[in-house]
Structure formats: C-alpha cells, structure tokens
Amino acid sequence: MKLLLPDTWHFHRRNFLPLFLHLRAAGIATQVDRSRRRWWRRHGDYRSFAGRLERHVAPLRNLVPATLLQHRHREIPVFDCCRAELLCLLLPRPRWAEGGGGNGTDDVLSRAHADAEDRQDLLLCMAAACDWIEHWFRILQDNPALTHVLAYSGSYIYTRTLQEVASRLGRRLFCLETIFTGNEFYFEERATPIANRSLLGDPAWYDRLALPAAADARARLLAEGQRRLAAMRNKNVPASDAVLLQPVPRGRPGVLILGQVLNDFSLIETPASEASALAIYRRLLGGILKHTDLPVIFKAHPWERRRPNLRRPVTLQAIGNWLATLPQTQRHRVRLLETEPVGVVFPHVDQVVGICSQGLLEACQAGLKPAVIGPTFFGGKGFTHDFATPEDYVDALARDRLPSQLALEDYRCFEEFLARALVLHCVENAPAGVIKIAERLAEPNAMPQAEAVLARLPA
C-alpha cells in the first residue's frame, strides 16, 4: 500500500489526525505532491496563469457552448471538472448573484460564455482542468506503486481531475471532508464530489449503518451521537454569547430562513433550479410575505466576509436591497441578522427553512422540525419537512400543514441519524479514529459494525 496525498493545504494533522497517526504507526509509504502549491487556492481565478495555460485555451477559444460542453481531454469531460470552482468565482458577480439563471450544466456554461469577462474565466478554468489532467496522469503513471489516492472535497479543479484520472487508472480513491461538527470528518471511498452528497444520502448505505438491537447498546450509541453534536465547533461562525432582543416586528414567532455562503460548494453541488441561492431566498421571502401574515427572520452567514471571491456580506446586502423595493407593510415584517449565533434565534421562531444549511440540524437539536428546499444528504429521514421548490413550502405553510416541533418519532429518527452519521459513518478526528481509517484503507467499502464501534467508546 502506498498513498498519494495531493496537497498540504488540507492534508495535515490538524484536519485529519487519525489518518497521519495510522500512516506512521503502520509504516505506510506516502507521496505528497507539493509541485503546484500555487495552483491549490485559486478558487476559479487562473488569470495569473494565462500564459502557461494558453496552449490549452487556444483550441477552446472559438468553440460554441455546445461543443465546449462536450469537450474532453484524454477522454475526461473537462467542463464537469471545473464547473464547481468556476461558479465559486462567478456567483458573487452581480449578473450571477441576482439570480434568474438555471443551474443545469448547459445553462451555466452558456451563461458564462455569453459575457466577455466570464468567458475568459470559463476558458481558463477549462484549460486549468486540462493541465491538471495531464499532471495527474503523469504522476500516477510514473508511480505505479501508488495504490491509494486521497482527495479533499472533490469540488476543486485539482481534486476533481484527480478523481477522474485515478478512477480511470484503477487506483483506490477516497474523498475526505470535515463534517459540520468540526470534530469528525468524512472518509468515503468514492470518485465524485462529497459536498452535500455524502453516502449518508444513499438509502442503501444508510440502512447498512444499522444500530444494535440490544436496548442498552443502542442507547449508548444514541447518547454518543448527541454528545458529538453538543460538542460541535464551527470555525466559520464566530463564538458569541449574544442574546437576541426584539426578534421581529409584532413580537410574535414566525419563520427563520437560514442563508448560506453564496459560493459555498455545498450550494454549488446541490441540484437546484437556480444557480444562485439568492433567487431561492427571494422566492421564499416573497411567498411568505404574500401568502401569510407571519414575520420573518433572514439569517445571513457571517463567513461571507472571509470567503474567497466574496470578502463582504453579499447575501445580507442583496436581500436588504431587495426588501427595500417591497411595500412597507411587507418590509416591516422582516428582520435581517448575520452575526448572531443561530441558537439564540430558535426560541423566537416557530418555523425554520433552508437549502442544505447545517443550521437545519441545529434546529432539530432545539426541538424544531425544519423544512429543506431541494435534496440534501440528511433529508427524507423522518426529521425534516422536504420540498422540491420554495413555492411548495410556502403553499404548505400558508395552509398550516407544517408541524413546527419534532414529534417523538421524529426526534427518534434524528437521534438515529446522529448516531449513524457521527458515530458509525464519520471518523472522529482523534486517536480513536485510527481503527476506522485502517479498516477502510484495507477493505473496499468497509462498513463499520456498531458493536465494534461501541466497544471503543468510553463506558
């Protein structure tokens, strides 16, 4: 066994301690690729590499969108490899952020191609994907002893191309990413991006994460899942003891809409009708204000002030500007928040709705039954209201068909999800996670056994 680690940006002991502990203890050889470290953190901006990429840009420059969409480099579909990172760059631009554009692959490519500035970045991202494809073929073919390949996220161009190349060369491929608690991480054998697409969303895989039948063993696993959720630490949300005062006009509980970072991969990789989440938020807000008399809190995400390509509260400002165009009677029913911890908002609302925000799981912890717009890996498991469109949600809300609290059976489903996701499926970022790492590297699609995991937990 010999592993390829494609970067030191994500792959270090702070992010994945048990991985490095296992590699050292087992004497497993690793090869770390540091040769292109300036390429890792581009987030779609490859203009400083334009000269080097010209040999790949030139064949693309005169192609029409339909041909670009079908373009392959060494038999790998190029646009598929760069779509997510390209959108990370484009979505904050006004013509994208305002919404109104489809989220389909052909819609995104055609829209990017229609604007001169966007087209330049589109071609550079595609050229970067071609360059990375050549790089990974060279690395893996020159080093046939590499048996396992690890990639972070799968949404960056350099990791998505690595997944495509490694899968074609028959190497075992794992995708890693930190889960919402900040204390556990995914370690899944797969060749696709992981953002909002964890194997936890696969009903067959989820069913295999079976809890033990014995009541005492089951209770211990459920309690451990709750403990891990309670220990959650979110590095992207500043710690605060803030208290929410005067939550909404009229002083009555209403609806909380959870906003996410506009160009976060969890949104970009989620199949939705709109490329921009802002369009979905406006449809939610507009529908609630038009068809109900409920007050609304919109909670923007503070990490937008630090996220590459944003560095400012884009969502907060855009929603505020849009609200200013509404009648005063509607506008006064909305309060915008950003920095307040979501936990202090829950006592002031009856309903919580979002796209795939981890705040929806925090709402469950507070006893609320949140609504999810579109598919997410934790949807459809008995503790969320699931809707395909904002309009479907507003219709159910207006008809008073949405119980706001988790019923006993709903909460049992939530507890089971925490145990299966945080205890059985994900790897604890601590020495105790070494055994899971060893098992999964050794066996294809190793499935954790509840009894074995239970034996390693504190009594």
Side-chain angles (χ1 to χ4, degrees), residues 234-250:
N234 189 340
K235 68 179 181 180
N236 294 346
V237 177
S240 173
D241 296 323
V243 176
L244 186 65
L245 301 175
Q246 299 178 345
V248 285
R250 302 175 61 179

Side-chain angles (χ1 to χ4, degrees), residues 307-362:
R307 171 76 171 170
N309 299 328
L310 292 175
R311 305 294 184 185
R312 65 193 192 282
V314 175
T315 298
L316 183 71
Q317 293 170 353
I319 294 298
N321 293 338
W322 176 75
L323 286 173
T325 68
L326 300 182
Q328 187 178 38
T329 53
Q330 292 187 357
R331 189 167 66 246
H332 284 181
R333 287 161 50 199
V334 182
R335 182 172 181 193
L336 302 182
L337 302 178
E338 182 193 21
T339 59
E340 292 83 353
V342 70
V344 306
V345 187
F346 293 142
H348 303 280
V349 297
D350 282 334
Q351 302 285 343
V352 181
V353 59
I355 302 174
C356 55
S357 169
Q358 71 177 43
L360 298 168
L361 295 171
E362 295 178 68

